[in-house]
Amino acid sequence: MIHYNERENSFHLSTGKTSYIIAIHKNAYPLHMYWGRRVYGDDVMWALDAPYRRYARIMQPGPDEPAYTHEFFPWEYPDFGTGDFRPAAYSVIDPNGDNYSDARYVGYRILDGKPPLEGLPSVNAMPEDGVETLVISLYDEKLRLAVDLYYTVYEKYDVIARHTEFRYDGEEPSYLTKALSVSIDAPQGFDEMIQLCGSALREKHIVRRPIANGTTGFGSIRGVSSHQETPFAALVGKNTTEHTGEAWAMTLVYSGNFSVTADCDPYGSVRVQMGINETDFRWQLTKGSTFITPEALLVYSGEGLNGMSHTFHTLLRERVGRGSWTDKERPVLLNTWEACYFTFDHDHVMKLAQAAKKAGMELLVLDDGWFGHRDNATSSLGDWFVDKKKLPRGLKALADDINALGLKFGLWFEPEMISVDSELYKAHPDWCLHVADRKRSEWRDQLYLDLSRADVQEYIIDSLTEVLSCANIEYVKWDNNRRMSEAGSDLLPRERKGEVYHRYVLGLYRVLDILTKRFPDILWENCSSGGARFDVGMMCYFAQNWASDDTDGTARLKIQYGSSLLMPPVWITSHISECPNHQLGRTTPLSYREHSSMPFNMGYELNMLRMTDEELAMTNEQVKRYKALRRMIQFGEFTRLQDPFDGENCAWQTVSEDGREVLVWYYKPFVQPEEAYLRVFPTGLDEKAEYTDTVTGRVLTGSMIMQIGLPIDWHNGDSFSQMWHLIKK
Ligand code: DGJ
């Protein structure tokens, strides 16, 4: 997996299908030589003979000679101030105030397995994965700064995990003002960039744009990864499609401010970088201190975007997350939010639970409004004690009554926040993020607790532990409903003020680490006004994620299609809600809403007490159907077939783990007059094998299904959907 070529001082990292090659130039600086489809062979320095680099290479003297140039070369982790003129991977202000770094190669180590990233989440490596980690050590003698580049090779999963660790040994403090996780210089192939952007109610929409001279990039300075952007990018060729062509993709295992940039130089060489956003990042390095960047995951696909997604889905589903839910089928739940918002009492919740049970559901989730005196969004965050007006018998009695019906009980929290109208704020007005003598902006009437503080972390850990221990709570929804402003912390000295955003994230990870280890059997669901923090960092602690507050069956198609570029369907929770839809006012058939949610982690969020008998009977059937198929839906191989961003129609499929069953869904949100005959073209079937279509009873070969396609039924009216279940004979 990791091969060291002594002749050239180069490293060849190979997974099943991919290669990644680094060479040390003049025994001083690591060069990025290659990342892509698996190559065989050893020597690689000849690749620097490209015409525009020849001059630099032949003339290149030793690195200490004044004529040595950093321009033109493809660097692996570029320094700042040396004359490269492209963006550095890191930068350091030394005790004199100079910004210059020159870290040279000092050696390498190859480790069995994968060392943890202290304080940060990262992808697991099991002994049976047989992973290896390459550490390339660099050192800047003047700064007395060690820079270790880490590469863990997941051969079986076709993934390389990368991060950097800094160790400082200078007597006087220096400041790290940039510390990225990835920098890659690619001579060709990166024609376009795909990113996942949007807003609340419109998360993870796909945007694809050309990479041209200069910088193409995006990021977040909202304190969280955000609705607006996702720490993920795929660099693709002009002709890359869902099924063919090349994609070089990367995602960050991180949940705070981040940036992604692609810088194209005049020769068409592109430097792609990803990591913590530089804005307001200034980390003090004192003697003996270390700084660890978040982990980044690198995936190359030669089989289009679906190939990329298959690789991400398998790794993330199997090696990200913790607790006992990772491999288990997720339950069908009823959530009370759209059912009753803040207005409920014990009896009302019980009536909903009874209806849920009758329909075959397995979990009742009590959403916002159960604590303090929270009758709307303006109060009580931080006061994690039950509202006796609504639940006079307390949480235990409610959980017991729900359990007695044969349902699990789950509860909503928003632990990172504080309302000004709360007991907690009265006691600790300094516990929120704030800048002294400045206004405190209340977005959704709330402030952020300052999780960079240990006492605040302890408060959250203790108060949640108390609630989670007081009743049989088997599910938690961890919400987060605002973005950061006035991100200052009382406890940090002047020279550490630029550390608040990152320290916040580290504090959050510490709290999550302790709670999820303390309650490993709870099903933890991540949420942030829907999908504002749906990133791989958070998912290291959670088993599923509320993808969006937009529950409209049509709007969901694009949100889920985009999310599936990176995220496995079992993580993407999708609730069937009532019509007219609460966010968009649109009315769609119940069967369409089922089809929209079913390929993912399906649940319900509506007032079942208002449903007609016919709707209740349909719901009963839906739940039965989902439970029968959910193993393959949640753990099978998901493939996108038709892109709703290209026209509105959408299709995707799931193949069961054993390859014997195929589910295909097609959606046509808006009817068109006199349309061409429509078909959907599944992929990945066994060409000669016969498949029975369980709806029509027709038996067809895999090749016919894939080549001729499945015909879409004639229909009239908007919001049409169709589903096929094919079983191999
Ligand atoms: C935002 C979430 O996304 C919703 O599902 C709901 O839990 C509300 N917050 C509650 O305030």
Side-chain angles (χ1 to χ4, degrees):
M1 276 181 299
I2 299 175
H3 173 69
Y4 174 61
N5 173 359
E6 212 176 329
R7 195 171 38 244
E8 286 204 330
N9 211 1
S10 63
F11 303 90
H12 187 154
L13 284 52
S14 55
T15 70
K17 294 185 189 161
T18 70
S19 290
Y20 188 106
I21 305 177
I22 304 156
I24 308 297
H25 192 238
K26 303 270 179 186
N27 205 30
Y29 304 108
L31 291 165
H32 179 79
M33 299 304 298
Y34 177 75
W35 174 31
R37 188 184 296 276
R38 175 84 195 252
V39 293
Y40 300 87
D42 254 3
D43 291 354
V44 73
M45 284 304 228
W46 55 267
L48 292 181
D49 286 347
Y52 66 86
R53 295 211 176 86
R54 187 168 297 143
Y55 176 79
R57 185 182 177 211
I58 292 169
M59 300 302 290
Q60 197 74 311
D64 283 321
E65 301 297 324
Y68 185 90
T69 174
H70 287 254
E71 214 180 348
F72 309 122
F73 276 60
W75 301 117
E76 185 64 19
Y77 204 68
D79 302 302
F80 183 77
T82 52
D84 176 20
F85 306 122
R86 292 165 290 175
Y90 72 108
S91 68
V92 183
I93 311 281
D94 72 13
N96 290 329
D98 289 320
N99 184 358
Y100 184 88
S101 48
D102 184 0
R104 308 255 182 110
Y105 178 70
V106 287
Y108 75 94
R109 288 174 289 151
I110 296 176
L111 314 172
D112 280 338
K114 183 185 188 200
L117 282 73
E118 209 180 308
L120 285 161
S122 60
V123 176
N124 300 326
M126 308 305 272
E128 64 267 29
D129 298 339
V131 304
E132 283 180 358
T133 301
L134 169 67
V135 187
I136 296 181
S137 296
L138 314 172
Y139 192 70
D140 184 323
E141 298 227 359
K142 178 90 192 320
L143 280 172
R144 293 173 60 183
L145 178 71
V147 182
D148 284 349
L149 312 180
Y150 281 72
Y151 303 83
T152 297
V153 182
Y154 286 84
E155 185 178 28
K156 165 174 139 202
Y157 289 102
D158 270 316
V159 175
I160 292 174
R162 190 178 159 179
H163 76 278
T164 300
E165 299 195 3
F166 299 88
R167 254 174 306 107
Y168 185 68
D169 201 29
E171 295 299 331
E172 298 296 318
S174 285
Y175 292 88
L176 198 54
T177 54
K178 183 176 188 181
L180 298 182
S181 302
V182 181
S183 183
I184 286 175
D185 285 354
Q188 60 209 18
F190 293 2
D191 301 331
E192 296 175 353
M193 178 186 256
I194 294 178
Q195 66 198 88
L196 299 173
C197 1
S199 65
L201 307 184
R202 188 162 47 80
E203 292 90 336
K204 296 203 172 20
H205 275 217
I206 297 175
V207 170
R208 182 169 176 163
R209 53 180 164 147
I211 292 174
N213 286 42
T215 307
T216 311
F218 58 91
S220 167
I221 51 165
R222 292 166 192 264
V224 300
S225 47
S226 85
H227 286 114
Q228 285 69 15
E229 300 290 354
T230 305
F232 159 86
L235 291 309
V236 295
K238 281 198 183 72
N239 300 322
T240 300
T241 68
E242 284 286 16
H243 306 290
T244 59
E246 299 191 280
W248 293 262
M250 49 184 78
T251 190
L252 214 51
V253 187
Y254 191 61
S255 313
N257 292 345
F258 74 93
S259 69
V260 177
T261 53
D263 273 85
C264 181
D265 74 10
Y267 313 102
S269 178
V270 179
R271 174 168 293 174
V272 186
Q273 300 188 314
M274 180 179 264
I276 293 177
N277 199 307
E278 285 174 75
T279 305
D280 204 17
F281 174 79
R282 189 180 154 92
W283 195 272
Q284 191 185 47
L285 297 169
T286 50
K287 190 171 168 64
S289 68
T290 52
F291 184 85
I292 302 176
T293 73
E295 179 168 81
L297 307 176
L298 308 183
V299 168
Y300 164 79
S301 163
E303 288 130 30
L305 295 171
N306 273 310
M308 168 197 78
S309 300
H310 292 161
T311 302
F312 274 125
H313 290 179
T314 312
L315 177 87
L316 300 184
R317 204 176 51 221
E318 295 181 3
R319 292 292 177 262
V320 167
R322 54 172 59 166
S324 58
W325 279 96
T326 313
D327 308 321
K328 279 198 232 153
E329 291 177 27
R330 313 301 201 261
V332 179
L333 62 80
L334 177 69
N335 179 295
T336 58
W337 181 241
E338 285 198 26
C340 47
Y341 296 101
F342 296 99
T343 313
F344 56 81
D345 59 17
H346 183 108
D347 292 346
H348 186 67
V349 176
M350 284 311 297
K351 281 187 193 138
L352 290 169
Q354 278 149 7
K357 176 66 190 169
K358 213 165 159 203
M361 297 175 203
E362 298 151 307
L363 165 67
L364 188 287
V365 175
L366 181 57
D367 209 279
D368 199 349
W370 59 267
F371 52 93
H373 56 276
R374 190 155 163 99
D375 297 327
N376 53 49
T378 62
S379 83
S380 305
L381 293 170
D383 294 349
W384 300 112
F385 42 83
V386 76
D387 179 353
K388 289 277 183 169
K389 275 206 314 304
K390 288 180 192 165
L391 303 174
R393 291 169 49 219
L395 283 174
K396 175 153 172 40
L398 184 63
D400 287 348
D401 287 356
I402 287 172
N403 288 167
L405 292 174
L407 284 180
K408 294 180 193 301
F409 174 62
L411 202 57
W412 179 97
F413 293 89
E414 195 177 356
E416 299 159 72
M417 301 294 164
I418 181 166
S419 305
V420 172
D421 178 4
S422 68
E423 298 304 315
L424 187 64
Y425 195 78
K426 272 184 217 143
H428 300 286
D430 56 331
W431 272 15
C432 61
L433 287 178
H434 65 279
V435 176
D437 304 326
R438 298 282 184 178
K439 73 162 189 191
R440 300 178 179 189
S441 307
E442 291 176 42
W443 182 352
R444 211 200 189 210
D445 299 292
Q446 62 197 55
L447 298 165
Y448 259 98
L449 280 169
D450 177 1
L451 269 77
S452 71
R453 296 173 61 136
D455 50 359
V456 172
Q457 294 168 20
E458 292 311 318
Y459 173 77
I460 297 175
I461 293 165
D462 291 347
S463 50
L464 261 73
T465 297
E466 202 176 317
V467 179
L468 296 177
S469 310
C470 83
N472 187 24
I473 297 165
E474 297 181 80
Y475 160 109
V476 166
K477 178 172 173 185
W478 183 293
D479 207 344
N480 165 291
N481 285 304
R482 68 161 288 180
R483 313 304 148 236
M484 285 178 202
S485 56
E486 300 95 30
S489 171
D490 262 2
L491 294 194
L492 289 176
R494 197 179 146 268
E495 57 280 9
R496 289 202 179 272
K497 292 287 189 200
E499 300 179 12
V500 179
Y501 284 108
H502 185 57
R503 281 187 184 275
Y504 180 95
V505 180
L506 295 179
L508 170 64
Y509 288 152
R510 177 172 172 265
V511 169
L512 289 170
D513 184 55
I514 291 172
L515 286 171
T516 53
K517 280 185 181 145
R518 193 169 284 172
F519 298 97
D521 295 328
I522 285 181
L523 171 56
W524 294 84
E525 176 157 356
N526 182 40
C527 173
S528 181
S529 316
R533 203 168 51 185
F534 189 10
D535 55 61
V536 180
M538 289 305 281
M539 297 313 289
C540 288
Y541 306 95
F542 292 86
Q544 54 192 44
N545 187 93
W546 180 227
S548 177
D549 271 354
D550 193 336
T551 57
D552 172 71
T554 291
R556 273 263 162 184
L557 298 177
K558 286 183 179 167
I559 294 166
Q560 292 164 173
Y561 194 95
S563 298
S564 81
L565 249 58
L566 175 64
M567 308 299 189
V570 67
W571 283 4
I572 303 170
T573 56
S574 183
H575 296 172
I576 295 172
S577 64
E578 70 187 27
C579 282
N581 176 264
H582 289 198
Q583 293 78 38
L584 304 189
R586 181 157 39 213
T587 295
T588 56
L590 188 50
S591 61
Y592 179 84
R593 280 172 272 155
E594 176 199 11
H595 287 166
S596 172
S597 292
M598 192 182 183
F600 303 91
N601 186 336
M602 186 178 100
Y604 288 80
E605 185 162 335
L606 39 67
N607 188 347
M608 296 187 71
L609 309 178
R610 283 204 293 253
M611 289 175 108
T612 63
D613 287 347
E614 192 192 351
E615 285 171 333
L616 287 170
M618 278 178 80
T619 302
N620 203 302
E621 285 305 308
Q622 292 176 347
V623 175
K624 207 190 296 165
R625 201 163 22 244
Y626 186 75
K627 281 158 80 174
L629 296 171
R630 80 174 145 193
R631 178 76 219 173
M632 68 177 288
I633 290 172
Q634 297 185 354
F635 297 92
E637 186 179 81
F638 177 89
T639 302
R640 294 173 301 275
L641 301 177
Q642 191 168 337
D643 182 353
F645 295 96
D646 176 16
E648 294 291 333
N649 302 347
C650 176
W652 40 49
Q653 67 172 38
T654 295
V655 179
S656 62
E657 290 157 281
D658 64 5
R660 296 197 58 78
E661 295 185 52
V662 187
L663 292 168
V664 184
W665 293 267
Y666 176 85
Y667 313 83
K668 184 163 181 53
F670 309 110
V671 70
Q672 304 295 339
E674 292 293 320
E675 227 175 9
Y677 299 119
L678 297 172
R679 287 175 195 200
V680 60
F681 297 89
T683 65
L685 275 61
D686 192 343
E687 290 196 327
K688 292 185 183 150
E690 291 187 317
Y691 292 80
T692 308
D693 175 345
T694 56
V695 179
T696 60
R698 203 175 277 145
V699 177
L700 297 168
T701 62
S703 53
M704 286 215 178
I705 295 170
M706 292 190 289
Q707 296 308 125
I708 298 175
L710 296 168
I712 310 300
D713 287 348
W714 183 87
H715 57 275
N716 227 340
D718 288 348
S719 315
F720 169 81
S721 64
Q722 192 169 343
M723 172 181 150
W724 296 261
H725 183 187
L726 310 168
I727 302 179
K728 200 171 176 179
K729 282 182 91 179

